[in-house]
Amino acid sequence: MRPRLFGATASVAALVLLGSLVTACGSSGSGGGTTLRLVAAEYGNSPATSSKAYWDKLTAAFTAAHPGKKVEVTLHQWADVDREVTRLVDEGNAPDVALMGAYSDFAAQGRLYAASELLSVRAEANFLPPLAEAGSVGNTLYGLPFVASSRLLFYNEELFDRAGAEPPKTWSDLKEAARALKQEGVLYPYALPLGPEEAHAEALIWELSNGGGYADSSGGYSIASEQNTQTFRWIKNNLVAPGLTGPVPPAELNRQDAFDAFLRGEVGMLNGYPSLLHEARAKGMKVGTLSMPVSDTLRDGQALPSAGVADWMMAFKHDDNRELVGSFLEFVYEDKNLNEFAGRYHLLPSTVSATQASKDAAADPSGAQFLNALRGAELYPVNEPSWLQVSNTIKRNIGKAVAPSADPKAVLEGIAQQVRDIAKQT
């Protein structure tokens, strides 16, 4: 997966993934309303799982139903897709549609169609509310959520049984479980990936479990809030200092490395998303799933949001492309098409009707648990035009807050100052 959903999954080798996948011959230009160009992130992690097969099938069906129309799809690795789309936009050669991790900077520049200009009222109203809110600037939906993910705490049931540990409900419970796992010789009692790959996700999960987060009630950033400071101070003193987070310093532990260790049976607990659960079960692992344990200082029964992530479709304005783009997006968001993609990568569909029609959710209690978490999730503040730069700043620096010699408050205040500087420039 990329540095978001939660992001989606890791991409295939550049040799396989990059370049255009032309589903019908003809000009690749956007003019004339006959050829649509889509630039999308690659969700597969091998040639066998490449997204190419999905887009080939979908675009062939679309063009068969729309004679004379053509679709060209270009796939890029997650590490490259945001940069490549930005480059195309800067060169005056924006695609008609992009699927990537951020949209609001383009919306702020006035380059995107609003959903109301492209979709039927029914289709626009069909997005899950937390996702629609995150995809809106003001009250206007510009970022169309495509697939999404929520996060749950995973625990290795075999290691827990061996250590005599109990599934945690509070931070204190988590600490006690981690202690028992360490005594049993577990390499990573709790894997804390605050490395630069996706540190902002792990950080948000912990912040939310103490009533904090990245944004305050007025919509501004709240990186160095008192709740967030308390959170990182607790993590440092209660997990990192006693050696309960494993042999790799959290600031150097990337998400994929933590996931790989979990699949090797070396991790007692970590936060994960649906595709990791699928991989673990395919290996025969017994994995329990829980909502993230909450701070002991919170009131009993206090409901807190889980962390959620979505990937975004966006449509760029070009002369004569509105009708074709609208038809294509209506087709993409049909339940069967959306669920086929979500099921292929064990992610969550973004619409109410596709969620209800999802066979995976109906058959798997954990799938329903992820969906329930998503309905009440808090997402990154992706509707802030500065978020892309802000998230990069968080990813590079947040792990420093739990270093042995660090003052968590000073680290968070340093990040907050960088964020203020970015916001001024955006």
Side-chain angles (χ1 to χ4, degrees):
M1 285 197 155
R2 59 152 175 158
R4 61 194 195 346
L5 271 162
F6 210 162
T9 52
S11 46
V12 189
L15 179 63
V16 176
L17 300 184
L18 301 182
S20 294
L21 310 174
V22 183
T23 61
C25 59
S27 168
S28 62
S30 297
T34 60
T35 298
L36 182 145
R37 291 188 300 138
L38 167 66
V39 175
E42 168 61 63
Y43 284 68
N45 56 15
S46 71
T49 61
S50 171
S51 303
K52 179 181 185 300
Y54 172 83
W55 292 114
D56 281 351
K57 179 181 177 182
L58 182 134
T59 54
F62 176 78
T63 54
H66 297 80
K69 305 300 182 183
K70 306 177 180 74
V71 180
E72 297 175 354
V73 182
T74 302
L75 298 180
H76 290 287
Q77 298 180 7
W78 269 114
D80 301 328
V81 65
D82 289 7
R83 181 178 65 252
E84 286 300 315
V85 172
T86 299
R87 179 183 63 80
L88 290 172
V89 171
D90 290 344
E91 293 174 353
N93 190 30
D96 296 285
V97 178
L99 170 57
M100 49 191 279
Y103 71 89
S104 57
D105 47 348
F106 300 126
Q109 296 167 19
R111 297 180 184 275
L112 302 182
Y113 286 113
S116 59
E117 299 177 275
L118 302 168
L119 302 178
S120 66
V121 172
R122 180 177 181 179
E124 183 180 0
N126 195 25
F127 293 110
L128 291 167
L131 305 184
E133 182 179 353
S136 298
V137 177
N139 294 317
T140 303
L141 181 64
Y142 290 102
L144 309 184
F146 184 56
V147 286
S149 176
S150 58
R151 296 293 174 92
L152 296 173
L153 183 74
F154 291 11
Y155 62 97
N156 185 315
E157 293 181 348
E158 215 172 283
L159 297 181
F160 262 62
D161 289 344
R162 196 181 307 161
E166 295 293 329
K169 294 182 180 180
T170 66
W171 286 2
S172 290
D173 295 341
L174 188 149
K175 178 181 178 180
E176 289 306 310
R179 278 178 172 170
L181 291 161
K182 184 179 181 181
Q183 290 173 0
E184 191 60 30
V186 176
L187 191 61
Y188 294 88
Y190 178 87
L192 183 67
L194 292 176
E197 180 186 351
E198 203 192 28
H200 61 319
E202 181 72 13
L204 178 61
I205 292 166
W206 278 94
E207 291 167 357
L208 292 174
S209 69
N210 192 32
Y214 289 137
D216 57 28
S217 57
S218 64
Y221 290 112
S222 57
I223 307 296
S225 69
E226 182 58 30
Q227 295 103 314
N228 292 349
T229 300
Q230 291 171 357
T231 296
F232 285 95
R233 186 173 290 125
W234 189 93
I235 295 171
K236 176 190 172 184
N237 293 337
N238 292 275
L239 295 181
V240 180
L244 301 179
T245 56
V248 179
E252 299 174 19
L253 182 65
N254 278 320
R255 190 259 335 267
Q256 191 58 53
D257 295 330
F259 284 6
D260 291 344
F262 183 76
L263 294 173
R264 292 194 300 266
E266 298 172 351
V267 175
M269 297 174 281
L270 88 172
N271 286 299
Y273 44 64
S275 58
L276 177 64
L277 183 60
H278 175 80
E279 287 185 72
R281 289 179 173 170
K283 291 173 65 69
M285 295 177 65
K286 294 180 179 180
V287 179
T289 56
L290 296 168
S291 298
M292 179 65 187
V294 299
S295 165
D296 297 83
T297 63
L298 296 177
R299 298 187 302 273
D300 289 342
Q302 182 173 348
L304 294 173
S306 61
V309 184
D311 300 326
W312 306 98
M313 283 275 192
M314 63 213 72
F316 289 88
K317 295 178 180 179
H318 292 292
D319 293 340
D320 301 326
N321 77 334
R322 178 175 160 182
E323 182 178 352
L324 177 57
V325 168
S327 298
F328 180 71
L329 291 176
E330 288 272 358
F331 188 75
V332 166
Y333 283 98
E334 289 182 10
D335 290 349
K336 66 179 186 299
N337 294 328
L338 188 57
N339 271 332
E340 181 177 342
F341 191 94
R344 178 183 291 260
Y345 297 108
H346 308 287
L347 296 168
L348 304 177
S350 60
T351 66
V352 174
S353 59
T355 295
Q356 293 170 342
S358 172
K359 294 179 181 178
D360 286 346
D364 182 1
S366 295
Q369 193 177 6
F370 280 111
L371 286 169
N372 288 335
L374 182 62
R375 292 188 182 101
E378 181 168 321
L379 282 75
Y380 303 136
V382 290
N383 44 15
E384 286 288 337
S386 59
W387 172 244
L388 191 58
Q389 294 181 65
V390 168
S391 65
N392 286 333
T393 299
I394 294 170
K395 284 186 287 186
R396 291 194 308 270
N397 295 286
I398 199 72
K400 300 173 184 175
V402 298
S405 61
D407 174 3
K409 182 176 180 63
V411 173
L412 294 181
E413 287 180 342
I415 296 172
Q417 182 58 56
Q418 293 182 62
V419 166
R420 286 191 290 270
D421 294 342
I422 291 169
K424 289 178 183 177
Q425 299 168 8
T426 305

